[in-house]
Amino acid sequence: MREDLSKSPQPMRGVARDDVLSTLLSAMRLSGSLQFCFMPSGAWQTDDKPSLAALSGKANGTVPFHIVVAGQCWLKIEGEEATLNAGDVLIFPFGTGHQLGAGAGGVLVEPMRELPPKPWRQIPVLRHGDEADGVRLLCGYLQCDALSFEPLRKALPKLIHVKTLGANGGDWLRATIRQMVDEVDRPRAGGISMLPRLTEMIFIEILRHQIMMAEPGSVGWLAALADEALSRCLSIIHDDPTHDWSLKELSITCGMSRSVLAERFQIILGTSPIRYVRDWRLYLASVSLATTGAPIAAIGYEAGYATEAAFSRAFSRAFGTPPATWRTQAQNPHAALGQRPLSSTP
């Protein structure tokens, strides 16, 4: 999916009142990131094997990104090819394998293998050839555990391609990218901690843009946030997820009949309001499992399940693994995945 920021989004009615996105993002974990600078020149190419999940130590939720700071190169992904220019931001929500390169028949470069061992005192800068006429990319990943929340996962494409250069509404992103480049070029105290924050800000801003640009009649979680009635309902659910919501109570609170509310949910989100409540509670339970030592039974009770066995069955259906296994993998990712060989795609 390519987005041109020259299409200025129209403001959504009710957004200032409900601030839905802020409410939702506050519960979504952006739990880690990595950044490095890649500067190849001449004819070059990477392979198409995804590798950042291995580097992050987590099998799910690793979102690679590339920011083209200067120069031009090409992208190949699942049989499609696109030209990338300075100011382009690429995000791969599911870590889809892809190639980057310049020219034809170029030498294979393997930036992932060249990264120094962590911890880093400065952001690594990997150069290939004469940097004067090359491409400059900021590469890395963001660990977005919120992708385990099915409505969000279903709403995202395999590729988000945002073009910021010369676009109306792209000033903020361009300024943030310039600040990232400045942190790489002129390292200062705290720079290593600044870049992850800037990366998260870019990711959230692009999510906001995706929501604001949702077309009338579109479907999915981002489209639901752009729908005044549904965004109000989602805000109510997310503000108080432990409440024992009923369809009748939600419909009264949102000012819609039960049948209309259920129909809107089904058409736009592909689910029912009560199932959405269940899915959000299970996502919050996954966060608690990953970040706390609370007993599994207590987490399950908070999610609305009377017994640990019932919670375990529901969690296993939703996440494909029991709660105890999820906790182990989330808190000890490298031990859970083992040591995997790295391939060369950044």
Side-chain angles (χ1 to χ4, degrees):
M1 175 181 291
R2 301 181 193 175
E3 294 287 349
D4 189 337
L5 294 185
S6 61
K7 298 179 180 179
S8 300
Q10 297 299 313
M12 291 188 292
R13 293 176 295 170
V15 168
R17 180 189 63 219
D18 298 328
D19 198 13
V20 179
L21 185 59
S22 294
T23 302
L24 303 184
L25 288 173
S26 67
M28 292 191 171
R29 296 181 66 230
L30 300 175
S31 60
S33 65
L34 173 143
Q35 302 81 22
F36 63 93
C37 184
F38 179 43
M39 301 174 66
S41 61
W44 60 274
Q45 60 183 316
T46 65
D47 69 19
D48 62 353
K49 304 296 190 300
S51 58
L52 282 167
L55 189 62
S56 72
K58 292 191 176 183
N60 300 308
T62 301
V63 181
F65 70 87
H66 304 301
I67 301 172
V68 185
V69 176
Q72 185 181 82
C73 61
W74 48 254
L75 163 74
K76 294 179 182 177
I77 178 171
E78 295 186 347
E80 301 178 13
E81 184 169 345
T83 299
L84 308 179
N85 297 289
D88 285 11
V89 180
L90 306 175
I91 295 176
F92 303 83
F94 310 108
T96 306
H98 57 278
Q99 280 186 289
L100 298 175
V107 63
L108 180 68
V109 294
E110 301 181 304
M112 296 298 291
R113 293 184 182 276
E114 298 176 22
L115 289 174
K118 298 188 72 173
W120 299 334
R121 292 181 176 273
Q122 298 179 355
I123 298 301
V125 178
L126 309 179
R127 294 181 170 88
H128 285 271
D130 181 7
E131 62 185 80
D133 64 350
V135 182
R136 187 174 193 189
L137 298 142
L138 289 177
C139 304
Y141 68 77
L142 184 74
Q143 189 64 42
C144 181
D145 294 349
L147 290 181
S148 60
F149 181 47
E150 186 175 9
L152 173 60
R153 187 171 65 249
K154 285 184 175 179
L156 296 175
K158 66 183 178 184
L159 167 64
I160 301 175
H161 181 182
V162 174
K163 305 176 84 64
T164 69
L165 191 63
N168 296 326
D171 292 347
W172 189 90
L173 276 175
R174 289 194 295 272
T176 306
I177 292 170
R178 283 196 298 271
Q179 187 173 355
M180 291 180 72
V181 173
D182 189 59
E183 294 291 345
V184 173
D185 289 345
R186 289 180 285 277
R188 293 172 291 170
I192 288 289
S193 62
M194 273 294 296
L195 278 171
R197 307 305 190 272
L198 295 171
T199 303
E200 291 178 7
M201 290 167 66
I202 287 175
F203 179 73
I204 291 171
E205 178 64 17
I206 288 176
L207 272 186
R208 289 177 62 198
H209 181 75
Q210 294 284 111
I211 293 166
M212 299 290 279
M213 291 300 294
E215 297 289 341
S218 58
V219 297
W221 190 68
L222 300 182
L225 295 187
D227 179 281
E228 184 179 9
L230 283 187
S231 68
R232 184 165 59 247
C233 186
L234 296 182
S235 181
I236 291 167
I237 292 170
H238 286 257
D239 279 343
D240 193 3
T242 61
H243 182 77
D244 188 17
W245 293 107
S246 67
L247 179 59
K248 179 179 179 180
E249 189 175 12
L250 285 172
S251 65
I252 291 173
T253 306
C254 296
M256 290 186 286
S257 69
R258 283 176 287 183
S259 60
V260 170
L261 179 62
E263 182 180 23
R264 293 280 282 278
F265 258 80
Q266 193 60 51
I267 290 174
I268 296 180
L269 283 164
T271 190
S272 69
I274 301 307
R275 183 169 180 175
Y276 184 92
V277 172
R278 184 205 67 183
D279 288 344
W280 182 243
R281 286 174 174 174
L282 287 172
Y283 169 72
L284 294 179
S286 76
V287 173
S288 294
L289 288 167
T291 59
T292 75
I296 290 176
I299 293 173
Y301 184 80
E302 187 77 4
Y305 295 88
T307 67
E308 183 175 341
F311 169 61
S312 182
R313 287 193 297 271
F315 192 92
S316 297
R317 284 194 300 270
F319 292 89
T321 186
T325 305
W326 177 272
R327 168 172 275 170
T328 299
Q329 293 176 344
Q331 296 185 357
N332 303 282
H334 290 282
L337 289 177
Q339 296 299 316
R340 297 183 179 182
L342 300 182
S343 66
S344 60
T345 302

